Amino acid sequence: MSAKPSHLFYQGRERKPVLDQARGVYMWDVDGKRYLDGSSGAMVCNIGHSNENVLEAMRRQMEKSTFGYRLHFETEASEKLASKTAALTPEGLNKVFFVSGGSEAVESAIKLARQYALAVGEGSRWKVISRSPSYHGCTLGALAITGYAPLTRPFEPMMQMMPKVPAPRAYLDGLDPDDIATGHHYANMLEAQILTEGPDSVLAFIVEPVGGASTGALVPPRGYMERVQEICRQYGVLLILDEVMTGAGRTGKFLASEHWDLAPDIMVMSKGFAAGYMPLGGMVAHERLVEPVLDAGGFLHGFTYAGNPLACAAGLAVIDEIERLGLVQNAAAMGERLLDRLRGLMDRHAIIGDVRGMGLLTAFEFMSDRATKAPLPKELRAFDRFVQIAYDKGLIVYSRRTRDGVEGDHILVCPPMIVNETHLDEITEMLDAALVQFTAEIRPSLDKIA
């Protein structure tokens, strides 16, 4: 790695190895060290790295054009991807607005929802309810509906913070996730919040069908998503599904909403949508929302790179590869096997208090005591330390904190959807070694608690 000071800055001062190349599920730094990408970057690289068919599709598009501003031209790439996207989403969701990432997609969704309310004479509706914890993006609009204190607190004076309801963390509350009463218990908190706010003031509810980084692959309890949809329809509240992380096959369906046969008003996607080959996201809206907005003068919103032809060509090629290689089915099959392996690690390592997930969106959560569900001491910063230990051993994983971002360390294991049994064996072996080292490091702290 170069000894020169970096002009880049992200979250801290620590320098990382310099990336040389990436192929399939592996990445190499310039010193030749190999890493297994056990988190698909930030749950992005769903089809693996350097897929030649995607690269070839991008080369063909680059030979034609790399940019065409959406107000000046339509492009073949964006039209084809929009048609493909509409065909893969629930009936009626056939209006697509492309962006460059998840935060932009969420911003687009909440602004379209508001403009729709104005267009149909429901201007009193402006509140967007979300969950706590949750994460929906880093722009100020997306942060206002995010429930993750370390990320939102510094900017609260600059935002109109939106109402929150508890995420359905049945495993922490000692409730049975397989009991439909549990799902209804949490969903009914949404109804209570709508009534508290005043139904005429509530515009939308936004939710990840399966929790992402903020809740660590949280699968909703039985009956939850269906009841949420029912409540939204009852009170005229728009249902926005955040499929930024879950979309494009990661949960074992192309869309996580397919597991519950949901019919949202708006859906947002990114991450696996173009699988890291280009920055790309999309908002897909029901035509009944879009038509009144267009009739009222058009969608007052946009980004310079919306519908970029190179990004759309990459996205279309990614979907083609997902279908050609049967990666949705592979995610479902390998996901079950990965969960089995993580449960095996839980049997061997007492600090793992919960294992959860769906498809290849999986996680395990650290606890100092499984019986009481007490988290590890937050001062240990276990979510950071474990990731570094695994990284040193050649495994890339992702981490956050489940309990409002303050404590409750969890580790996301979300490899590309091209993984096979051999890759899962490698992941399990490196996780096991990292858990042995990590447990030895924190043992003195745990002994003090005991």
Side-chain angles (χ1 to χ4, degrees):
M1 183 173 66
S2 172
K4 294 180 180 179
S6 176
H7 294 286
L8 295 169
F9 80 97
Y10 295 106
Q11 284 186 304
R13 299 180 183 276
E14 182 184 354
R15 301 295 296 273
K16 295 293 185 182
V18 176
L19 178 64
D20 179 40
Q21 60 180 299
R23 297 283 185 275
V25 303
Y26 298 108
M27 310 178 80
W28 289 263
D29 65 26
V30 293
D31 296 322
K33 181 176 178 178
R34 192 185 77 172
Y35 304 81
L36 197 159
D37 188 1
S39 61
S40 304
M43 288 63 75
V44 174
C45 304
N46 284 14
I47 68 166
H49 300 273
S50 302
N51 178 291
E52 187 54 43
N53 288 335
V54 176
L55 297 179
E56 180 55 34
M58 294 172 67
R59 291 187 196 102
R60 290 196 301 268
Q61 181 61 49
M62 285 189 282
E63 290 172 356
K64 297 174 66 175
S65 69
T66 57
F67 182 79
Y69 189 48
R70 62 190 170 84
L71 299 183
H72 297 160
F73 294 98
E74 296 181 5
T75 68
E76 182 181 15
S78 61
E79 289 290 338
K80 284 186 174 180
L81 181 58
S83 295
K84 185 68 173 179
T85 302
L88 289 167
T89 50
E91 184 177 357
L93 269 73
N94 53 21
K95 298 297 183 181
V96 185
F97 189 92
F98 292 123
V99 295
S100 298
S103 296
E104 289 185 4
V106 169
E107 289 279 336
S108 301
I110 59 179
K111 290 176 77 173
L112 177 66
R114 173 60 178 166
Q115 285 187 240
Y116 166 73
L118 292 171
V120 297
E122 296 186 353
S124 63
R125 294 184 183 270
W126 59 274
K127 297 174 184 176
V128 179
I129 300 175
S130 56
R131 305 192 309 193
S132 181
S134 64
Y135 179 75
H136 296 290
C138 64
T139 55
L140 290 180
L143 272 181
I145 55 175
T146 286
Y148 203 80
L151 297 178
T152 59
R153 189 180 298 117
F155 308 105
E156 286 180 2
M158 305 170 69
M159 299 185 291
Q160 174 69 60
M161 294 300 291
M162 294 291 176
K164 309 291 188 299
V165 294
R169 294 176 293 179
Y171 72 100
L172 287 181
D173 295 334
L175 300 177
D176 180 4
D178 295 321
D179 185 348
I180 197 168
T182 299
H184 288 180
H185 163 73
Y186 288 105
N188 289 339
M189 294 179 183
L190 171 61
E191 182 176 33
Q193 191 67 45
I194 291 171
L195 294 173
T196 297
E197 300 294 331
D200 290 344
S201 73
V202 179
L203 175 64
F205 177 57
I206 185 168
V207 60
E208 292 178 298
V210 178
S214 63
T215 54
L218 180 68
V219 178
R222 181 170 170 245
Y224 175 80
M225 290 304 306
E226 297 92 336
R227 177 65 180 139
V228 160
Q229 180 169 265
E230 182 181 275
I231 290 167
C232 287
R233 288 176 175 169
Q234 178 181 350
Y235 292 98
V237 172
L238 299 178
L239 176 59
I240 303 174
L241 294 185
D242 183 342
E243 296 243 20
V244 167
M245 189 177 296
T246 57
R250 180 148 293 279
T251 67
K253 299 282 188 181
F254 187 79
L255 299 168
S257 57
E258 295 176 48
H259 293 287
W260 301 278
D261 195 26
L262 302 177
D265 299 288
I266 303 175
M267 180 180 293
V268 294
M269 291 186 288
S270 187
K271 290 187 181 286
F273 197 34
Y277 288 83
M278 282 292 291
L280 179 67
M283 172 188 65
V284 193
H286 198 287
E287 57 188 353
R288 69 175 179 80
L289 274 64
V290 174
E291 293 302 330
V293 170
L294 296 181
D295 290 342
F299 189 25
L300 304 177
H301 179 68
F303 299 100
T304 299
Y305 291 98
N308 176 267
L310 183 55
C312 289
L316 186 60
V318 165
I319 294 175
D320 286 345
E321 286 299 277
I322 289 173
E323 292 179 339
R324 183 182 73 85
L325 297 171
L327 296 186
V328 174
Q329 296 81 2
N330 194 60
M334 292 297 108
E336 284 298 320
R337 294 169 191 177
L338 176 56
L339 281 169
D340 285 343
R341 284 166 166 78
L342 295 181
R343 294 183 187 111
L345 291 174
M346 183 175 176
D347 290 340
R348 296 196 294 277
H349 299 278
I351 60 167
I352 297 179
D354 190 59
V355 168
R356 54 187 178 265
M358 180 177 283
L360 287 171
L361 178 55
T362 71
F364 57 88
E365 184 167 342
F366 292 133
M367 296 180 189
S368 60
D369 188 306
R370 287 181 188 171
T372 65
K373 299 181 176 60
L376 293 180
K378 59 186 176 182
E379 297 78 14
L380 293 176
R381 293 187 62 81
F383 71 114
D384 274 341
R385 180 57 188 149
F386 182 84
V387 167
Q388 186 59 51
I389 291 172
Y391 189 82
D392 291 342
K393 295 182 184 302
L395 176 65
I396 300 171
V397 290
Y398 202 88
S399 68
R400 282 292 184 270
R401 284 179 155 175
T402 301
R403 308 182 194 198
D404 301 316
V406 178
E407 58 187 357
D409 310 88
H410 64 257
I411 307 299
L412 285 149
V413 186
C414 309
M417 299 179 340
I418 60 172
V419 289
N420 57 35
E421 291 273 10
T422 300
H423 300 139
L424 295 185
D425 289 342
E426 289 185 64
I427 290 170
T428 306
E429 182 179 341
M430 286 187 279
L431 283 174
D432 197 21
L435 285 162
V436 169
Q437 180 179 334
F438 177 66
T439 303
E441 285 187 9
I442 68 170
R443 177 56 58 194
S445 298
L446 295 182
D447 289 343
K448 288 181 182 179
I449 295 174

